[in-house]
Amino acid sequence: MANAWKRENNKQPKLLSPILLILSLSLLLLLFLFVFSARSPSNPPNSTLFVTQVYPIPSFNCLESPQAHPVVANIVENLKYPFLYSLSDFGSLPDKPHKNIVRLLKGKPFRKPDISATIQQLLEGMKGRNGLVVDVGANVGMASFAAAVMGFKVLAFEPVIENLKRICDGIWFNRVADLVTVFEAAVSDRIGNITFYKLVGRLDNSAVSANGAKLAFKSNEEIAFQVRTIPLDELIPNSEPVLLLKIDVQGWEYHVLKGAVKLLSRKKDAAPYLIYEEDERLLQASNSSAKEIRDFLHGVGYSHCVQHGTDAHCTKG
């Protein structure tokens, strides 16, 4: 029995043949690559690279944009569908900070923007319908995010880089990269470039018209820069349904509307609900008027307009 044990113990273990060894290593490598690629997508989640629609101008790439700093962001109060947004104007620090900074320091949410509440109230009745929300003059995204957190797809247009960076903040904070597409452009009635005037300390008042930008804040510094312009009709195909069009461009509204004749001429059940700022002083600073806009809208079938503060709400009802 002892000798038998020795004979068995002296047997050399069989080694894998070179071919089997290479095949085994290859299978292990393939398995590793499969698991790694499944867990590490080439584009990170919540990135603007997931937009599948091809547009005539490139969308703004938040991943390649410099990060805004400092970031002062908070959730908005008293909305059924809350969202966060980031401030681009901080007020005059430290003496007169922005009101929302004061609220933040007191542990309160940001004050509810009127446009955010309006957008959500309107879209509540459009749930289940397929179509875009178009935000022209997006500022820091208070209308765009109000729609996106409800599940609606948004096209947002904003020419001021400081505001674009804050929109990128909000896209990340609200996890809506698959719903919000942003363009660094001013919407107008022709393709090209135009001089835009940025108002330091009041970026929300930046405008195409130098007079319009400084209308309410004459002492603020003004910076001129060139920006791309594009009409909505050049960017939104006829086959793309649009539920709501919001325009707030400090007096440039008429030019935006003229560049959307095809969109606004759609039949009643396909025409978007329209919200635009109708401030006579700002319109005149851009060589237009409220009457000129109303006459234009009547010509494309928007016969019913109601004033809400400085905003006009128009439908083909």
Side-chain angles (χ1 to χ4, degrees):
M1 182 64 73
N3 290 336
W5 180 86
K6 287 180 180 179
R7 284 196 300 272
E8 290 295 326
N9 196 44
N10 288 333
K11 286 184 179 179
Q12 295 295 322
K14 290 184 178 180
L15 297 175
L16 289 173
S17 68
I19 295 176
L20 286 175
L21 184 61
I22 292 171
L23 182 60
S24 300
L25 289 173
S26 300
L27 288 173
L28 284 172
L29 179 61
L30 287 173
L31 181 63
F32 172 78
L33 290 174
F34 174 78
V35 172
F36 182 79
S37 62
R39 297 184 62 180
S40 303
S42 58
N43 297 328
N46 296 314
S47 80
T48 51
L49 299 178
F50 278 95
V51 179
T52 55
Q53 176 69 43
V54 177
Y55 294 104
I57 62 172
S59 59
F60 187 75
N61 192 329
C62 288
L63 298 179
E64 295 180 358
S65 169
Q67 174 63 53
H69 61 84
V71 176
V72 180
N74 201 359
I75 198 163
V76 176
E77 68 176 356
N78 298 331
L79 285 176
K80 183 176 180 180
Y81 305 93
F83 63 89
L84 293 93
Y85 76 91
S86 178
L87 294 179
S88 59
D89 290 321
F90 300 148
S92 300
L93 298 175
D95 300 325
K96 293 183 179 179
H98 192 286
K99 291 180 180 178
N100 274 330
I101 293 180
V102 176
R103 292 177 65 90
L104 181 64
L105 293 174
K106 292 180 178 179
K108 296 180 179 180
F110 282 174
R111 190 169 66 86
K112 175 180 64 180
D114 291 339
I115 189 61
S116 304
T118 298
I119 292 291
Q120 290 195 353
Q121 288 167 6
L122 289 169
L123 293 178
E124 188 72 32
M126 301 183 189
K127 277 189 168 182
R129 292 176 58 186
N130 180 40
L132 296 172
V133 173
V134 180
D135 186 3
V136 179
N139 193 244
V140 295
M142 291 175 285
S144 293
F145 299 140
V149 295
M150 296 178 69
F152 290 92
K153 289 188 176 181
V154 179
L155 298 185
F157 298 84
E158 175 56 45
V160 178
I161 185 63
E162 290 86 350
N163 290 339
L164 286 162
K165 291 178 184 178
R166 304 303 176 177
I167 291 174
C168 290
D169 290 343
I171 287 175
W172 171 251
F173 293 150
N174 296 294
R175 306 295 193 262
V176 290
D178 56 337
L179 294 172
V180 179
T181 304
V182 192
F183 296 96
E184 184 179 11
V187 178
S188 191
D189 52 354
R190 63 192 67 185
I191 297 173
N193 293 281
I194 200 168
T195 302
F196 203 85
Y197 296 89
K198 179 168 60 179
L199 204 60
V200 177
R202 284 306 305 244
L203 294 173
D204 56 327
N205 278 71
S206 301
V208 173
S209 164
N211 292 332
K214 297 195 73 171
L215 201 59
F217 302 94
K218 293 182 173 58
S219 62
N220 290 57
E221 181 187 357
E222 184 182 85
I223 298 174
F225 65 99
Q226 288 289 302
V227 65
R228 179 205 306 265
T229 60
I230 188 164
L232 289 179
D233 282 342
E234 293 292 332
L235 192 129
I236 302 174
N238 291 331
S239 58
E240 187 79 65
V242 177
L243 300 175
L244 190 151
L245 170 58
K246 168 258 174 186
I247 308 170
D248 184 352
V249 287
Q250 299 301 111
W252 202 247
E253 282 76 9
Y254 183 48
H255 300 274
V256 175
L257 293 166
K258 284 199 301 179
V261 174
K262 293 179 182 177
L263 172 62
L264 297 171
S265 297
R266 294 180 182 183
K267 293 180 180 180
K268 177 182 174 181
D269 58 349
Y273 188 104
L274 173 64
I275 304 173
Y276 70 94
E277 186 179 34
E278 192 178 74
D279 187 314
E280 190 65 43
R281 296 180 309 155
L282 291 172
L283 292 170
Q284 289 182 4
S286 296
N287 300 314
S288 62
S289 67
K291 183 181 184 305
E292 191 173 27
I293 289 178
R294 293 292 180 102
D295 289 345
F296 168 82
L297 289 174
H298 193 271
V300 292
Y302 281 82
S303 56
H304 184 68
C305 290
V306 178
Q307 199 76 21
H308 294 270
T310 57
D311 289 342
H313 290 227
C314 299
T315 64
K316 294 189 175 183

